[in-house]
Amino acid sequence: MNKQNFSDLGLSPEVLKAISDLGFEEPAPIQAAAIPVLLAGHDVVGQSMTGSGKTAAFGIPAIELCQASDRTVQVLILCPTRELATQVADEIHKLSSHKKGIHAVPIYGGASYERQFYELKKGVQIVIGTPGRLMDHMDRGTLALDKVKMVILDEADRMLDMGFREDIEKILQATPKERQTVFFSATVSRQIRDLIERHSKSPKSVSIQQKEVTVPTVEQWYYETPQRMKFEALLRLVDFHGYKLGIIFCNTQRMVDELADDLIAQGFSADRLHGGIAQAQRTRVMNKFKKAEFEFLVATDVAARGIDVDDLELVVNFDLPYDAEDYVHRIGRTGRAGKKGMAVTFVSGRDIYKLQYIEKFTRTKIRRGTIPTAGEVEERKVESLLDQVRDVLNRGNLSTSQVDRLLEEGFSSTDIAASLFVLLGGPAAETRPPSGNAAPPAAAPETKKPKPQPSEPQPSLRPPARGMQWVRLSVGRETRVTPRDIVSLLEDSLGLPGRSVGIIDISIGQSFAQVADQYVDVLKNGPRKIEIQDGFVNISHVPVQRKEREYAPNNRPDKPKYSKKEFRKKKY
Ligand code: ADP
Ligand code: MG
């Protein structure tokens, strides 16, 4: 298909800049089709499936229509629910962020009238609201609609289902007759046709039908995980299944860059492809990936179009695609030539609805999976290590000269064998509960540990996630402390919202948690001691450096700063 660019659609530089800030690489089909028709001033009935980008399809022309110098309501967007009104308002805010003097405000039930009244009085060009509350404001005389140039009914079918018909008609009647009237919906029922007929002038119909698709026979799994836990989930799945070659899809260039950096910081070999990278470089990356010269390619849909790699084990939808067709294209990159492939999709928040739609559209079942626990990952790694050892043992023909030397030096054969496991990346002595006469921890070979901390035992923590820092709490598993307890301890002592706590790792005698940067400052001058029911808990900062931006594999030093073994061994 010949795809268009946003820059072909006749948009202002301010809006184009906002679109590029959002990381949208190219218009979604409904956007490419509807935006020019809306800009030309026609009434429009737009139809495309959920998650296909309808908001920007009407939001962009709405913003372009507004006169910044005039602070009266010029665009009215009706939404069925408060949640949708907020979402649409958020997207309009982002899309208009470079347009000076354009203001948009959501108006919905359940929020204070005073605040909404204040906002409206200040003067806004775009009002996004639910019909009920808009009617209230009209009745109170706090919302004037006589300068409205465009009315948009988002999810029009749903509004009718919810019984808003009468309110909608009244609101439409309160706006000037020569307005532009726009309907957007995933479905267009008879009811809505009736409404359209009575309230619009020769509307143009813009409809994006999903094409029939053949879904490749790959195993499809989804994992529900909050956004901030996705990276951890990815690491665990990769460690657990031992994937060696895969593509990871993100929706924006920024996310691609972040994720590629994060993977490299964890010692993987990874590279990236997105529309912001020069073509010559893209070709280089692509060729290297085809030759499996690195493990994971992080990419946007646009950049990965046309990639043809055999033996791809894994496709990850780090972000759910906004288009069901893209989902099919993405997962079709694995399972080629009858080989078995795996498609993994991370789903956060309301993505689950989009996923259900994709299931319906593709007529396949995407199975729900659970992320393996840190313990399961560890267990699996040990098993595979043992398998490898058994293999070698079964093959026989082993030379024992090195072992003999060590035996002569007085080491026992079990200790020699155990230390070889440590060298292979198996669990080291330091993961065991500290006990009085524990042997000194075996030193990991050749790898530099992060800077030792003066006063505390140095845990082997992986670098924290972006924007996070590790803190240590002097309370461990033996007290039956739960992750929830840790969160409330942190909430109480550092005054942070529970949402800003990331990964929590509870071991014996101590626990670690990742906490958003801004809440860690209070610990920079020393630990905090907080009283609990039967004693005290010390909370301290554990500085572990993030590895900053480094491109793989070109600019990679021969050895990653953090060895894969050191950081992926344990501590989740
Ligand atoms: P719909 O209203 O059709 O259900 P939305 O407008 O809510 O869909 O869009 C779904 C998601 O897709 C949003 O997260 C939005 O930011 C994103 N999106 C929209 N247009 C694009 C685009 N051109 N490129 C990438 N992502 C997009
Ligand atoms: Mg929508």
Side-chain angles (χ1 to χ4, degrees):
M1 199 182 358
N2 209 353
K3 297 243 180 183
Q4 266 186 296
N5 284 323
F6 275 111
S7 54
D8 302 331
L9 298 178
L11 305 176
S12 65
E14 293 86 356
V15 167
L16 285 174
K17 180 150 197 315
I19 289 170
S20 120
D21 286 355
L22 275 168
F24 295 178
E25 293 203 302
E26 60 177 15
I30 186 73
Q31 293 161 2
I35 290 173
V37 184
L38 284 164
L39 289 175
H42 296 288
D43 284 3
V44 164
V45 179
Q47 185 206 352
S48 66
M49 64 168 212
T50 308
S52 59
K54 292 191 286 293
T55 316
F58 60 73
I60 289 171
I63 291 165
E64 297 288 22
L65 180 82
C66 286
Q67 217 85 59
S69 51
D70 178 5
R71 294 190 75 153
T72 56
V73 181
Q74 299 167 42
V75 173
L76 181 64
I77 304 175
L78 300 182
C79 297
T81 64
R82 160 198 184 131
E83 200 212 3
L84 277 166
T86 336
Q87 274 164 23
V88 171
D90 282 349
E91 191 137 336
I92 300 266
H93 284 145
K94 288 181 192 150
L95 287 167
S96 61
S97 60
H98 295 290
K99 280 254 184 185
K100 289 227 170 62
I102 297 286
H103 302 276
V105 62
I107 298 284
Y108 47 75
S112 104
Y113 274 100
E114 280 65 43
R115 164 131 211 111
Q116 294 177 351
F117 178 53
Y118 170 77
E119 302 261 11
L120 289 171
K121 208 171 144 195
K122 265 199 322 195
V124 296
Q125 292 88 0
I126 305 178
V127 167
I128 303 114
T130 51
R133 181 56 72 100
L134 288 175
M135 286 285 292
D136 287 350
H137 277 284
M138 283 162 57
D139 292 346
R140 287 167 185 238
T142 48
L143 176 64
L145 298 178
D146 53 318
K147 294 279 172 51
V148 166
K149 295 190 260 184
M150 180 191 265
V151 179
I152 298 155
L153 289 87
D154 187 22
E155 309 237 358
D157 259 1
R158 212 160 136 210
M159 285 199 284
L160 292 183
D161 286 345
M162 290 171 73
F164 283 134
R165 187 185 184 107
E166 231 172 89
D167 288 352
I168 291 174
E169 303 232 14
K170 279 197 193 132
I171 293 168
L172 284 173
Q173 271 146 23
T175 61
K177 271 220 156 45
E178 51 296 345
R179 64 163 196 263
Q180 198 175 352
T181 316
V182 181
F183 299 80
F184 267 87
S185 202
T187 53
V188 177
S189 62
R190 233 200 47 222
Q191 263 194 338
I192 197 174
R193 290 202 185 286
D194 182 51
L195 192 74
I196 292 165
E197 235 160 71
R198 293 196 296 118
H199 294 279
S200 67
K201 305 172 292 286
S202 39
K204 303 252 183 232
S205 178
V206 177
S207 163
I208 304 296
Q209 295 304 337
Q210 283 298 327
K211 283 194 242 63
E212 280 290 319
V213 288
T214 348
V215 180
T217 51
V218 303
E219 247 184 83
Q220 300 175 61
W221 292 86
Y222 77 90
Y223 298 88
E224 273 191 275
T225 170
Q227 184 66 31
R228 71 192 153 79
M229 295 294 286
K230 280 183 182 176
F231 184 58
E232 182 64 25
L234 176 67
L235 293 182
R236 288 196 196 172
L237 287 170
V238 166
D239 279 347
F240 189 77
H241 296 284
Y243 295 120
K244 294 271 170 350
L245 196 65
I247 300 190
I248 306 170
F249 284 100
C250 303
N251 287 356
T252 64
Q253 300 185 358
R254 192 182 312 146
M255 197 62 230
V256 166
D257 279 332
E258 282 186 16
L259 182 56
D261 288 344
D262 288 347
L263 283 168
I264 293 163
Q266 294 291 336
F268 288 97
S269 60
D271 214 331
R272 70 203 79 204
L273 275 187
H274 59 61
I277 296 171
Q279 190 53 49
Q281 169 71 4
R282 282 204 236 170
T283 315
R284 264 198 301 278
V285 171
M286 196 87 99
N287 288 337
K288 284 193 170 150
F289 189 58
K290 281 182 183 160
K291 289 187 252 162
E293 285 180 16
F294 58 93
E295 296 168 294
F296 296 105
L297 177 66
V298 190
T300 56
D301 295 285
V302 177
R305 213 162 272 157
I307 291 189
D308 199 352
V309 181
D310 293 333
D311 287 331
L312 204 56
E313 299 171 287
L314 175 72
V315 168
V316 177
N317 294 303
F318 198 79
D319 297 317
L320 194 58
Y322 66 90
D323 188 333
E325 228 175 292
D326 283 334
Y327 176 85
V328 176
H329 286 158
R330 287 180 180 186
I331 70 168
R333 317 224 171 244
T334 178
R336 293 271 172 93
K339 297 215 178 69
K340 81 172 174 40
M342 176 74 103
V344 161
T345 301
F346 292 135
V347 170
S348 73
R350 70 178 183 121
D351 282 349
I352 190 73
Y353 301 107
K354 240 198 268 179
L355 190 86
Q356 285 164 0
Y357 189 91
I358 291 177
E359 276 195 304
K360 228 164 71 191
F361 169 71
T362 55
R363 289 193 219 95
T364 50
K365 178 91 194 119
I366 307 174
R367 281 188 280 171
R368 181 168 198 271
T370 44
I371 306 287
T373 64
E376 285 164 351
V377 173
E378 196 56 52
E379 180 66 18
R380 180 63 82 93
K381 280 197 214 159
V382 170
E383 268 168 33
S384 88
L385 206 56
L386 291 178
D387 277 349
Q388 290 172 23
V389 173
R390 281 188 201 105
D391 251 17
V392 177
L393 287 170
N394 287 336
R395 260 184 270 146
N397 250 339
L398 294 164
S399 148
T400 60
S401 59
Q402 289 96 329
V403 180
D404 289 340
R405 257 169 71 183
L406 291 167
L407 285 169
E408 268 163 37
E409 286 168 30
F411 294 99
S412 75
S413 48
T414 34
D415 277 354
I416 295 170
S419 55
L420 291 176
F421 271 109
V422 173
L423 291 178
L424 283 170
E430 56 191 336
T431 59
R432 283 193 219 125
S435 63
N437 55 359
E446 291 174 52
T447 51
K448 260 203 214 135
K449 299 235 168 189
K451 266 188 253 147
Q453 272 321 98
S455 54
E456 278 151 16
Q458 179 58 53
S460 130
L461 294 171
R462 63 165 54 164
R466 188 171 295 272
M468 307 290 273
Q469 299 275 331
W470 281 111
V471 298
R472 174 186 176 276
L473 299 93
S474 64
V475 59
R477 192 181 300 145
E478 67 287 348
T479 64
R480 306 223 155 156
V481 68
T482 64
R484 177 161 300 191
D485 297 336
I486 302 260
V487 170
S488 26
L489 275 170
L490 292 170
E491 279 175 340
D492 294 349
S493 58
L494 306 185
L496 52 80
R499 273 178 289 109
S500 50
V501 180
I503 297 154
I504 294 176
D505 172 41
I506 301 176
S507 10
I508 306 272
Q510 57 184 351
S511 304
F512 297 92
Q514 288 191 12
V515 168
D517 271 341
Q518 69 263 40
Y519 299 107
V520 180
D521 283 350
V522 293
L523 297 176
K524 295 265 159 86
N525 296 325
R528 283 235 165 154
K529 196 170 180 181
I530 64 159
E531 205 174 336
I532 54 167
Q533 221 168 12
D534 38 1
F536 290 94
V537 176
N538 261 310
I539 303 184
S540 52
H541 176 223
V542 189
V544 179
Q545 300 287 319
R546 262 187 68 81
K547 188 174 170 119
E548 280 317 330
R549 211 172 228 297
E550 202 171 89
Y551 288 86
N554 307 353
N555 298 349
R556 250 178 104 207
D558 285 346
K559 221 163 258 132
K561 187 153 135 215
Y562 302 108
S563 107
K564 197 160 166 176
K565 278 185 192 124
E566 188 179 352
F567 283 109
R568 295 172 54 215
K569 224 159 39 188
K570 50 192 172 307
K571 303 285 183 195
Y572 288 91

